Amino acid sequence: MAHGHDDHHHHHHDGDAQARWKHDGVRVVPGNQLDANTAQTPGMDRKAAINFARVGASKLWAGTVTIHPDAKTGAHHHGHLESVIYVVRGRARMRWGEQLEFTAEAGPGDFIYVPPYVPHQEINASATEALECVLCRSDGEAVAVNLDIAPVEKPDTVLWVDPTHPHGGV
């Protein structure tokens, strides 16, 4: 029974596998080495930590986003992607729905889940403090679709930039 279950346990003793795990196993990306060479939006600083280019991730994107005081995005959604936002510091206000009619706020330690195709707007609820978040998406591709909704809270300085079409357009 050469390909039996027990055979499986011997692979980790094999030198090639060990070398492979050493370089393709767990990866630590130091916080001071995040990649700012990612799609940027005025009023927000986005940095990639986990993506295909950095670690070979094929189903996830993770990084940080800092939203300046009083800044807001326009209404948009992220297509088929799921997003999780973890608030590290500051106060996040989310609006969502066909007319952005629903609202919720989140503070440090809170998680926000944004399902696929849900129209939403991210707002820094503080006029004085930056909003610092960790962002995870369910795919490495950058999808952002701008929506022509008159937001309840108009984005003053911040317009969403679709990373795949950086010059706007819906």
Side-chain angles (χ1 to χ4, degrees):
M1 193 164 161
H3 294 94
H5 182 69
D6 290 339
D7 200 38
H8 211 62
H9 297 292
H10 299 297
H11 290 312
H12 65 275
H13 296 298
D14 149 359
D16 289 345
Q18 277 186 319
R20 192 179 79 234
W21 290 134
K22 179 175 183 176
H23 298 292
D24 297 336
V26 173
R27 303 284 293 276
V28 174
V29 178
N32 62 357
Q33 292 175 25
L34 303 191
D35 184 4
N37 185 20
T38 179
Q40 295 299 334
T41 306
M44 305 171 88
D45 300 308
R46 202 178 281 111
K47 292 182 178 167
I50 307 300
N51 60 16
F52 185 75
R54 300 295 300 273
V55 300
S58 60
K59 297 187 174 105
L60 285 174
W61 184 97
T64 59
V65 62
T66 300
I67 303 180
H68 303 182
D70 250 355
K72 312 169 177 67
T73 66
H76 62 282
H77 70 70
H78 298 288
H80 65 283
L81 305 187
E82 293 180 294
S83 300
V84 172
I85 301 164
Y86 174 77
V87 181
V88 177
R89 184 176 288 113
R91 192 93 200 137
R93 181 180 303 130
M94 298 294 287
R95 290 195 176 277
W96 72 94
E98 292 299 320
Q99 301 300 321
L100 303 179
E101 63 269 41
F102 306 109
T103 184
E105 291 202 3
D110 294 341
F111 286 84
I112 300 164
Y113 170 67
V114 183
Y117 301 103
V118 173
H120 63 283
Q121 178 184 33
E122 286 115 355
I123 298 159
N124 182 342
S126 168
T128 56
E129 190 184 11
L131 168 61
E132 296 179 23
C133 302
V134 173
L135 171 61
C136 300
R137 292 225 170 97
S138 60
D139 200 316
E141 54 180 320
V143 177
V145 178
N146 295 303
L147 300 171
D148 195 10
I149 297 173
V152 185
E153 300 196 27
K154 292 213 185 308
D156 314 320
T157 53
V158 182
L159 291 174
W160 185 262
V161 177
D162 175 348
T164 50
H165 302 94
H167 300 297
V170 179

